[in-house]
Amino acid sequence: MAVATLAKCSLGACQLGAGGSQRAVRSAEARPRFVEGSIVRIFMKNFLTYDDCEVRPGPNLNMIVGANGTGKSSIVCAICLGLAGKPSFIGRADKVGLFVKQGCLKGVVEIELSKTPDNIIITREIQVVNNTSTWFINRKPTTLKTVEEQIAALNIQVDNLCQFLPQDKVGEFAKLSKIELLEATEKSIGPPEMYQFHCELKNFREKERELENLCRDKTNSLEKMKQRIERYKQDVERYHERKRHLDSIEMLERKRPWVEYENVRQQHEEVKQSRDQAKEQLKNLKETQTPVTKKIQETEEYFKSLDMNIRDKAAEIKDVSQKCKQKQDALEMKDKQIEEIHQALRMKKDEEMDRQRKIHNTHKMIEDWKNELDTMAVCENLQPQTDAVNNELKKLQEERANIDSDISDLTAEKRNQEREKKRIIDRLGQLNNIMNMKEENLKGRFRDTHSALMWLRKNKDKFKKKVCEPMMLEINMKDNRHAKYVENHISANDMRAFVFESQEDMEMFLVEMRDHQKLRVNAVCAPTESRAESLPSRPIEELHRYGFFSYLRELFDAPHPVMSYLCSQYRVHDVPVGTEKTRNMIERVIEETKLRQMYTAEEKYIVKVSAYTNLTLSTNTSLRAAQFLTSSVDTDERRQLENQQQDIDNTLKSLDMRLTTLFERQKHLERRDNELRQQKKELLERGNRRRQLESKIGVKYDSLRQLEQDAINLEKESQQANAKIKEINIQKARLVTELMHLIKNCISLNILKADLVLQSTTVAAEKNRLESEYKAASVQLRAAEQQFRELDDRKRVLTENCKELLKKARQVCKLSPDQHLPKEFQTAFQALPTTLEEIDAFLNEEKTRASCFTGLNASVVEEYNKQTQEIQQLTEYLEEKKNELDNYKQNISQVKERWLNPLKTLIEQINEKFSNFFSSMQCVGEVDLHVENEEEYDKYGIRIRVKFHSSTELHELTPYHQSGGEKSVSTMLYLMALQELNRCPFRVVDEINQGMDPMNERRVFEMVVKTACKESTSQYFFITPKLLQNLTYNDKMTVLFVYNGPFMLEANKWNLKAFCRRRRRLGRMDEQ
């Protein structure tokens, strides 16, 4: 089994020269400290290529170096996933369970981050079965949300390409739009409020546009309403003239009843005067009884006040009693608290006694197991029996493997025959309009390529040699189910590429498409010497026993130039396709066939030989579903379908008979295999008892140490309990004092209440005496009252007449019975005649005048008033929205100033460093703030422009204009420009130097070392499979070497000092 080992060499601690000498550079006290949030330790278990590995990076630049396939990028994956990153951020797989080492059910990633005062340890356990993760912080279970909050607090952004750039995402940095690059830069190095201000500006601007549109629409509506109301004005004036006459008629009709009422009222006043004289006489008689009545009333009031005081005192006594009850309840609660403290102390004592008992029992159990271990005899020699069973099992497994291979071959052949039969039946009705379907698919997915295809069909006469249409149209699958192998083998860019036989034709075509028509198309040129008939390295029949049934070339038909290109570029003639049987025996296939590429039913395997260790390394990926080649056209197919169907039926019958025989033999061997494995298990268990006892004793010793550490200080607990009880007793004393005060107050109130009750009894007796005297004097009043009633009856008759007339007058004026005549009526009545005759004459005249105005409707006035009110409301609403718009503009101005000025300063700093980096490479580079419209804040972006040759102009960095190396250099230098300004704790860059030429790679490396090793900068991870010779290094660098192979030491056994000593000895031997 291959073991991955990671060796660490910090250039600040030791330095190996050409002669192998070692010199001290800096003491431990002088080492730079980790910035908060930087990575102190990375631990991986059963993760990708690692069984068990721990990485301890340095605080500055960390160079992770190792051959391809050893596990460098696995460390990057561990950082991302361990810090709550999603698998999509890495670009390797879509499920986190795929990152667990093959054959294991669980993987672990642990990241220790620097933090004050104590470091934080984040652990992620990945389960393969249900593809889930369990999170821990400082070894305690937690949730993903809590982990994300902790990471965000340290400003770690693994989804930001400006901070975390994995190997499979390097190309995506250049694809970032200017807007996306600005947001990523703000999040990475800007102050925390910068990105927040940017988002606020975008929201404010959106609301400002809405308000401007609303104000504009409402202003137009207001103007139209004002124009419309002018047309109603003349009709409203005529309506008001008629209304004045009708109002005058109404007022005359209202005054006439009031005049009638006034005449009767004068008669009523005369009778009233006589009644009042009789009433005065009655009053004088009653005045003689007034003192008695007043005294009775005073006595009644005094009696009521005494009764009220008695009730108040009773309420006060009740309130004081309630407070006494509360104090008593509080005293009982304090007693309960004391009892709870005693109970808790007793529980602590019981817990300590239980711990002592467990320690005694553990000691006894360990002693018993040691005695059993001492008396146990040396295990008998069971090896001969075990070897015999193993030999028989080996022979049995070989026979089963042969049968399985035969069954797999026959099953695969049967499946192939059944698929072929089904394909023949289906294809008989599906050979029409297939090419049109493929063209529609091309048009929907690659519109530029389809436009280029239409142009090519109209201009084929411009080319010297044959030009093939895009491969996805030219390739015709013999079996659509095999399309996934071809599509996974051929890149998507080549699938939509045009194939030329002439290089000159291809260049002319690309100039026309890309430069003139601005279409993004791909084109390739077939080899000068045809490779379409190339022979495979071995016949496919030799591979049948491994489950392979065909080479890729035999799965499809294509024009000669296309097939020649695919054989040359993709070696489709020498890549076999297998079945599930191949997958089941893949290790044997890789070892015996020496194939470099192969396919199983659902996976693709690529095999490489390490240039360092000469070991065979394999990678496998799941096959994507086919998208382009699911529809094919075969011109010879129609003639062969019927004959093939008959042959397939005969073959299937023969295969079924052979499979039945093999299945019977397979069941017999499986039963014998189970019997032998049971025998082997029994033999092994007899030799495992001693090891089990030793393991149990070790576990119990660990438990014993834990029990001894959990001791409880009973004396301290008792002191704490006594202190709490003392405090509660002080509170009880205070409550008793308050209770005594309340009891005294309650006694005083009861005494006052008794005195009030005595006074009330005396007053009631006096009241009864006065009421008896009053009854005797009342007889004298009855005669005077009789005379008064006669006069009052006469007055009542006149009053009724007045009421009837008054009621009639109020009804006419629409007044309520208790409502006085309004002042506007009184004023209007003064201008009208005063007699009934004059009122009747004036009333007839006004009715005649009002009849002259016809054809007018009150709805005109209602509409006029309604629209006038709407205009007023709309004016107020418009004014409100304009004020709101002004507020938004003011907010935008304030936030813009707080955002844009720091942003311009920040970009100027980035540009200065970016330009300096490019100048040191004799190139030109600029970074500026791209603004299309100053008010469109969602269109702001960062534009990167570069020039690598003196003969060219500055060009914007895009995914298409620059070469791969130029994009890598530009990306790296931009990230370096951010390094000194960055407020993030660390940055990760994975194999970005692979596309650079040696000169640029050396320059970029020197810049990385110079920038990342400064005191003020954050932690930096630089991953690369190789380094140039004679590079410049820094004492603050930490170099991490990743090794992978069967002869490597385990990580915990690696001794760097011993390695250095051996290297120095070898150096001295070389000098001698």
Side-chain angles (χ1 to χ4, degrees):
M1 178 183 67
V3 179
T5 301
L6 188 143
K8 171 181 174 181
C9 176
S10 175
L11 296 184
C14 69
Q15 190 174 55
L16 294 178
S21 62
Q22 180 178 5
R23 61 181 180 86
V25 178
R26 183 167 58 250
S27 65
E29 290 76 3
R31 293 175 184 171
R33 299 182 63 183
F34 288 88
V35 299
E36 185 157 313
S38 58
I39 298 175
V40 178
R41 180 176 60 87
I42 306 167
F43 173 74
M44 296 165 286
K45 183 175 182 180
N46 297 333
F47 185 80
L48 290 176
T49 59
Y50 293 103
D51 290 331
D52 192 304
C53 182
E54 185 175 89
V55 182
R56 290 187 176 271
N60 296 103
L61 175 60
N62 291 274
M63 299 290 299
I64 301 179
V65 184
N68 288 327
T70 55
K72 303 183 303 301
S73 295
S74 298
I75 299 175
V76 177
C77 296
I79 294 174
C80 178
L81 297 180
L83 296 177
K86 298 179 179 178
S88 58
F89 296 165
I90 306 171
R92 282 198 168 191
D94 57 348
K95 296 180 180 179
V96 70
L98 298 177
F99 288 86
V100 177
K101 187 170 184 179
Q102 189 172 6
C104 300
L105 297 178
K106 182 177 77 172
V108 178
V109 175
E110 186 172 276
I111 308 291
E112 182 177 352
L113 301 176
S114 176
K115 189 176 181 181
T116 304
D118 297 319
N119 290 351
I120 179 174
I121 300 175
I122 298 174
T123 306
R124 182 176 191 173
E125 292 185 358
I126 304 170
Q127 307 293 335
V128 175
V129 176
N130 51 6
N131 197 50
T132 59
S133 297
T134 306
W135 294 92
F136 301 86
I137 294 182
N138 294 333
R139 308 293 196 280
K140 297 180 180 179
T142 186
T143 61
L144 174 60
K145 183 178 180 181
T146 304
V147 173
E148 291 175 342
E149 291 174 353
Q150 289 277 0
I151 292 171
L154 295 173
N155 197 34
I156 297 174
Q157 307 167 19
V158 294
D159 58 340
N160 190 339
L161 294 182
C162 288
Q163 179 177 347
F164 193 89
L165 191 61
Q167 179 180 354
D168 296 325
K169 294 287 185 176
V170 171
E172 292 189 9
F173 186 88
K175 296 180 182 178
L176 288 176
S177 67
K178 294 186 282 291
I179 299 172
E180 293 172 336
L181 183 59
L182 173 59
E183 292 181 353
T185 303
E186 286 178 328
K187 294 177 182 178
S188 178
I189 67 172
E193 66 275 6
M194 178 175 287
Y195 181 69
Q196 179 183 353
F197 287 155
H198 192 182
C199 294
E200 288 181 2
L201 278 175
K202 291 187 283 187
N203 294 333
F204 285 161
R205 177 54 184 159
E206 182 65 24
K207 188 64 178 179
E208 182 187 27
R209 281 196 294 265
E210 293 177 2
L211 288 174
E212 288 175 346
N213 294 333
L214 178 63
C215 292
R216 183 167 54 254
D217 295 340
K218 294 301 181 182
T219 301
N220 295 335
S221 299
L222 181 62
E223 187 62 29
K224 292 178 181 178
M225 292 175 68
K226 288 181 178 179
Q227 295 174 0
R228 188 164 56 249
I229 201 173
E230 285 296 324
R231 296 195 293 268
Y232 291 104
K233 193 171 183 180
Q234 185 176 1
D235 292 339
V236 171
E237 290 176 353
R238 294 181 67 248
Y239 176 84
H240 285 313
E241 179 66 22
R242 178 173 177 271
K243 185 70 168 53
R244 282 193 295 272
H245 292 298
L246 294 177
D247 290 344
S248 178
I249 293 171
E250 182 181 6
M251 196 58 64
L252 287 168
E253 291 177 345
R254 288 176 177 175
K255 183 175 180 179
R256 194 176 190 284
W258 286 101
V259 174
E260 292 178 348
Y261 162 73
E262 184 63 23
N263 293 336
V264 176
R265 189 190 66 78
Q266 290 178 359
Q267 297 177 14
H268 172 267
E269 288 297 326
E270 294 174 356
V271 175
K272 182 180 177 183
Q273 289 178 1
S274 299
R275 188 191 72 89
D276 290 343
Q277 291 175 359
K279 183 177 180 181
E280 183 66 24
Q281 184 180 0
L282 181 62
K283 179 181 178 183
N284 293 332
L285 292 174
K286 289 182 177 181
E287 285 178 353
T288 58
Q289 287 189 327
T290 299
V292 177
T293 303
K294 184 176 180 181
K295 193 170 184 180
I296 292 174
Q297 291 176 350
E298 290 174 351
T299 304
E300 181 71 22
E301 291 175 357
Y302 183 56
F303 179 79
K304 289 180 180 180
S305 66
L306 287 174
D307 186 67
M308 182 65 68
N309 288 335
I310 292 171
R311 285 197 295 271
D312 291 342
K313 294 301 179 183
E316 289 181 18
I317 292 170
K318 182 179 179 181
D319 184 54
V320 173
S321 299
Q322 183 67 26
K323 290 181 180 179
C324 289
K325 180 65 170 59
Q326 292 175 356
K327 296 299 180 181
Q328 290 173 351
D329 293 341
L331 285 171
E332 293 177 359
M333 182 60 66
K334 296 300 179 181
D335 291 335
K336 289 182 181 180
Q337 291 178 0
I338 293 173
E339 179 59 28
E340 289 174 356
I341 293 172
H342 285 306
Q343 181 65 21
L345 184 59
R346 286 194 295 271
M347 290 176 65
K348 291 288 185 179
K349 293 179 179 179
D350 293 341
E351 184 178 349
E352 177 61 18
M353 292 176 64
D354 184 66
R355 186 186 69 85
Q356 293 292 342
R357 185 170 55 257
K358 287 181 179 179
I359 291 174
H360 178 266
N361 292 338
T362 303
H363 276 298
K364 186 175 181 304
M365 191 177 297
I366 291 173
E367 186 65 26
D368 292 342
W369 283 345
K370 284 184 176 180
N371 293 335
E372 183 182 354
L373 193 62
D374 293 338
T375 58
M376 185 179 294
V378 178
C379 294
E380 55 182 321
N381 186 9
L382 304 176
Q383 190 61 37
Q385 300 178 42
T386 305
D387 293 342
V389 173
N390 286 337
N391 291 333
E392 188 173 353
L393 275 173
K394 183 176 181 181
K395 294 177 181 179
L396 194 64
Q397 289 172 355
E398 290 176 354
E399 185 176 356
R400 288 185 65 187
N402 293 332
I403 291 176
D404 290 341
S405 177
D406 294 338
I407 291 175
S408 179
D409 291 341
L410 292 175
T411 304
E413 185 177 355
K414 180 180 178 181
R415 285 200 299 267
N416 290 337
Q417 293 295 335
E418 288 174 346
R419 285 197 295 268
E420 184 67 16
K421 179 180 178 180
K422 185 177 184 301
R423 185 186 68 81
I424 290 171
I425 295 173
D426 293 340
R427 291 290 290 169
L428 287 174
Q430 298 178 356
L431 294 178
N432 296 323
N433 299 325
I434 294 180
M435 184 57 72
N436 291 336
M437 293 170 57
K438 295 175 72 174
E439 288 184 17
E440 287 298 321
N441 188 15
L442 175 68
K443 183 178 180 181
R445 293 178 179 272
F446 310 108
R447 186 170 294 275
D448 287 0
T449 304
H450 185 268
S451 300
L453 175 64
M454 296 296 102
W455 181 89
L456 175 65
R457 291 178 176 176
K458 296 178 182 178
N459 298 275
K460 283 191 174 182
D461 56 333
K462 295 183 179 181
F463 301 96
K464 297 179 181 180
K465 293 186 178 182
K466 181 178 179 180
V467 180
C468 296
E469 295 179 355
M471 293 187 195
M472 63 181 291
L473 300 181
E474 296 286 10
I475 294 175
N476 294 309
M477 299 302 303
K478 296 178 180 179
D479 189 333
N480 290 339
R481 289 172 296 178
H482 299 153
K484 60 184 179 181
Y485 303 119
V486 178
E487 289 194 24
N488 279 272
H489 195 71
I490 303 173
S491 69
N493 288 336
D494 279 354
M495 287 296 294
R496 58 190 178 98
F498 296 82
V499 182
F500 293 80
E501 290 186 325
S502 169
Q503 183 73 21
E504 182 180 353
D505 288 345
M506 184 180 74
E507 292 176 356
M508 183 193 75
F509 175 80
L510 292 177
V511 169
E512 174 64 27
M513 294 298 103
R514 294 179 177 175
D515 297 341
H516 297 164
Q517 299 192 26
K518 307 300 181 183
L519 298 178
R520 293 187 293 179
V521 298
N522 295 336
V524 297
C525 187
T528 305
E529 296 181 4
S530 175
R531 301 287 298 276
E533 306 299 332
S534 300
L535 297 176
S537 59
R538 71 197 79 184
I540 191 63
E541 290 77 12
E542 294 182 9
L543 301 176
H544 281 170
R545 60 196 179 97
Y546 301 108
F548 294 108
F549 61 91
S550 175
Y551 288 106
L552 276 178
R553 182 177 62 183
E554 278 63 53
L555 299 180
F556 64 93
D557 294 327
H560 195 83
V562 175
M563 187 64 77
S564 178
Y565 173 79
L566 295 178
C567 289
S568 173
Q569 187 69 20
Y570 293 95
R571 297 187 61 80
V572 296
H573 64 285
D574 203 25
V575 177
V577 180
T579 61
E580 193 63 27
K581 174 184 176 181
T582 311
R583 172 67 181 85
N584 294 335
M585 55 189 304
I586 191 63
E587 294 182 358
R588 178 181 167 191
V589 173
I590 293 173
E591 181 179 357
E592 295 179 4
T593 62
K594 307 300 182 183
L595 291 169
R596 293 294 175 261
Q597 289 190 71
M598 67 193 80
Y599 288 87
T600 62
E602 297 296 337
E603 292 181 323
K604 175 183 179 181
Y605 284 80
I606 298 177
V607 182
K608 297 180 180 179
V609 178
S610 174
Y612 300 93
T613 63
N614 203 29
L615 293 178
T616 300
L617 305 174
S618 66
T619 59
N620 64 305
T621 55
S622 299
L623 298 181
R624 303 185 308 274
Q627 298 179 358
F628 310 116
L629 304 179
T630 53
S631 301
S632 303
V633 177
D634 189 347
T635 57
D636 298 329
E637 183 178 5
R638 191 182 299 274
R639 294 190 301 270
Q640 302 173 1
L641 292 177
E642 294 180 356
N643 294 333
Q644 291 179 357
Q645 185 175 4
Q646 184 62 37
D647 294 338
I648 290 171
D649 289 338
N650 296 332
T651 303
L652 287 174
K653 292 179 181 179
S654 174
L655 290 174
D656 288 337
M657 295 175 61
R658 295 169 62 187
L659 281 172
T660 301
T661 304
L662 290 173
F663 283 140
E664 291 296 329
R665 179 59 179 166
Q666 186 185 45
K667 290 180 181 179
H668 172 73
L669 294 176
E670 186 175 354
R671 287 194 295 271
R672 179 57 183 162
D673 183 87
N674 291 336
E675 294 173 358
L676 291 174
R677 291 184 183 277
Q678 182 63 29
Q679 294 178 17
K680 182 179 178 180
K681 180 180 179 182
E682 293 173 355
L683 291 171
L684 292 175
E685 287 177 352
R686 289 165 59 184
N688 288 337
R689 178 59 180 169
R690 185 179 186 87
R691 290 191 296 274
Q692 290 176 356
L693 288 175
E694 293 174 346
S695 176
K696 288 181 178 179
I697 290 172
V699 172
K700 285 300 178 181
Y701 270 125
D702 293 339
S703 176
L704 188 61
R705 284 192 293 272
Q706 183 62 38
L707 287 171
E708 291 172 351
Q709 291 175 2
D710 294 338
I712 298 175
N713 190 343
L714 293 177
E715 182 179 355
K716 181 179 179 182
E717 295 291 338
S718 178
Q719 291 176 355
Q720 292 177 352
N722 291 334
K724 292 179 180 178
I725 292 172
K726 182 178 180 181
E727 178 62 26
I728 292 174
N729 285 330
I730 294 172
Q731 296 175 4
K732 285 179 63 179
R734 189 183 304 115
L735 288 172
V736 169
T737 302
E738 294 173 355
L739 179 60
M740 295 302 297
H741 176 74
L742 290 172
I743 291 173
K744 291 179 180 179
N745 191 18
C746 184
I747 294 172
S748 300
L749 290 174
N750 277 302
I751 294 172
L752 291 175
K753 179 183 175 183
D755 182 65
L756 290 173
V757 170
L758 292 174
Q759 293 181 27
S760 176
T761 303
T762 304
V763 172
E766 179 65 17
K767 176 173 169 289
N768 291 333
R769 186 185 64 79
L770 291 174
E771 286 177 350
S772 298
E773 293 177 356
Y774 178 79
K775 289 180 181 178
S778 297
V779 177
Q780 300 177 4
L781 292 175
R782 292 195 184 99
E785 289 176 349
Q786 181 64 32
Q787 181 182 3
F788 173 76
R789 279 196 295 272
E790 291 176 355
L791 292 172
D792 190 61
D793 289 340
R794 293 176 60 191
K795 172 183 172 295
R796 188 179 297 108
V797 173
L798 291 174
T799 302
E800 290 297 329
N801 292 337
C802 287
K803 287 181 178 180
E804 289 296 330
L805 292 173
L806 179 61
K807 181 178 180 181
K808 180 179 178 181
R810 288 182 181 279
Q811 288 177 347
V812 172
C813 294
K814 299 179 180 180
L815 299 176
S816 61
D818 56 348
Q819 185 178 1
H820 295 290
L821 187 66
K823 290 185 179 181
E824 58 268 21
F825 281 1
Q826 295 177 12
T827 303
F829 287 170
Q830 291 176 0
L832 297 176
T834 58
T835 65
L836 291 176
E837 293 78 7
E838 292 174 347
I839 288 174
D840 291 339
F842 193 37
L843 185 62
N844 291 330
E845 182 181 351
E846 287 298 315
K847 289 181 177 179
T848 302
R849 291 179 179 177
S851 63
C852 297
F853 296 93
T854 59
L856 298 177
N857 197 324
S859 61
V860 176
V861 179
E862 292 177 0
E863 183 66 23
Y864 179 84
N865 294 335
K866 178 181 178 181
Q867 293 198 15
T868 302
Q869 185 177 4
E870 289 178 355
I871 289 173
Q872 181 179 358
Q873 293 175 351
L874 185 57
T875 303
E876 295 174 354
Y877 177 77
L878 185 60
E879 185 66 25
E880 178 184 348
K881 291 302 175 182
K882 286 182 178 179
N883 293 335
E884 186 177 351
L885 179 60
D886 293 338
N887 291 336
Y888 268 101
K889 289 182 177 180
Q890 184 178 0
N891 290 338
I892 290 175
S893 177
Q894 295 174 354
V895 176
K896 180 180 179 181
E897 182 178 357
R898 298 168 65 185
W899 170 72
L900 189 57
N901 293 337
L903 177 62
K904 288 181 177 179
T905 303
L906 184 64
I907 293 178
E908 288 174 0
Q909 295 174 350
I910 297 173
N911 178 54
E912 179 182 358
K913 298 182 182 299
F914 188 73
S915 300
N916 292 338
F917 288 148
F918 262 84
S919 298
S920 66
M921 297 177 62
Q922 285 76 49
C923 301
V924 180
E926 292 182 357
V927 177
D928 60 5
L929 182 63
H930 180 74
V931 182
E932 295 179 359
N933 184 346
E934 288 190 0
E935 303 300 325
E936 301 297 331
Y937 303 106
D938 54 346
K939 304 297 183 183
Y940 277 62
I942 288 181
R943 180 175 59 180
I944 300 176
R945 296 192 298 165
V946 295
K947 182 175 75 171
F948 287 89
H949 307 286
S950 59
S951 58
T952 61
E953 298 294 331
L954 277 171
H955 288 283
E956 185 176 344
L957 180 65
T958 66
Y960 313 106
H961 192 278
Q962 288 79 15
S963 66
E966 291 172 344
K967 287 186 285 188
S968 296
V969 171
S970 303
T971 300
M972 193 66 189
L973 295 187
Y974 185 79
L975 296 179
M976 294 308 303
L978 301 183
Q979 177 67 13
E980 296 184 8
L981 304 174
N982 201 1
R983 61 186 180 88
C984 65
F986 66 86
R987 175 175 284 110
V988 177
V989 179
D990 189 1
E991 295 194 19
I992 197 172
N993 59 332
Q994 294 308 295
M996 302 181 190
D997 57 73
M999 181 175 66
N1000 285 335
E1001 183 177 355
R1002 183 178 299 277
R1003 291 172 174 172
V1004 169
F1005 182 83
E1006 292 176 354
M1007 294 178 191
V1008 171
V1009 173
K1010 180 179 179 181
T1011 304
C1013 292
K1014 292 182 178 179
E1015 287 291 342
S1016 60
T1017 190
S1018 57
Q1019 192 179 41
Y1020 200 99
F1021 291 88
F1022 188 86
I1023 295 88
T1024 177
K1026 47 86 178 178
L1027 291 173
L1028 300 175
Q1029 295 182 353
N1030 300 322
L1031 292 172
T1032 301
Y1033 296 94
N1034 189 284
D1035 291 346
K1036 295 180 181 179
M1037 291 174 56
T1038 299
V1039 182
L1040 302 169
F1041 297 96
V1042 183
Y1043 303 95
N1044 195 332
F1047 306 109
M1048 293 305 304
L1049 290 174
E1050 296 182 6
N1052 56 4
K1053 296 181 180 179
W1054 176 266
N1055 190 331
L1056 181 60
K1057 294 182 178 179
F1059 174 79
C1060 293
R1061 288 196 298 269
R1062 288 196 298 272
R1063 182 66 186 88
R1064 285 195 294 271
R1065 286 199 301 269
L1066 292 174
R1068 287 194 293 269
M1069 292 173 64
D1070 292 340
E1071 292 175 355
Q1072 293 174 0

